[in-house]
Amino acid sequence: MNSNFQGAGQAIPLVFNVLRGLFLLYLGISLVKIIQAARQEEDWQNLARTPMIILVAVTVGDILTQLIIGTGATTTP
């Protein structure tokens, strides 16, 4: 991203960090809802299914992206 948008500076890491924060916030809120449902003896498995699918999809997507394009770091001999 930095090589394609030379003038972006610190905006690109900021955007990706905000996305990571929103993702963690979503997972945290979902975890609280799941724990509340389990304590009230409700069906917590259905509540846990969607966040787990999203977590697995994002993790697999991140791993595949790193395998395909690498980390983007360049080394100088």
Side-chain angles (χ1 to χ4, degrees):
M1 291 296 282
N2 288 330
S3 63
N4 291 330
F5 300 104
Q6 298 284 332
Q10 295 296 322
I12 293 172
L14 177 67
V15 168
F16 283 106
N17 286 334
V18 167
L19 289 174
R20 286 183 187 115
L22 290 173
F23 180 65
L24 290 175
L25 184 66
Y26 167 72
L27 288 178
I29 290 171
S30 297
L31 183 63
V32 169
K33 288 181 181 180
I34 292 167
I35 291 171
Q36 286 178 346
R39 289 181 70 194
Q40 295 174 358
E41 298 180 4
E42 295 176 3
D43 188 22
W44 61 270
Q45 287 94 357
N46 286 334
L47 288 174
R49 185 172 295 132
T50 302
M52 286 301 288
I53 291 171
I54 293 172
L55 177 65
V56 169
V58 168
T59 303
V60 169
D62 185 45
I63 291 170
L64 289 176
T65 302
Q66 286 184 3
L67 286 174
I68 292 170
I69 64 171
T71 60
T74 58
T75 58
T76 56

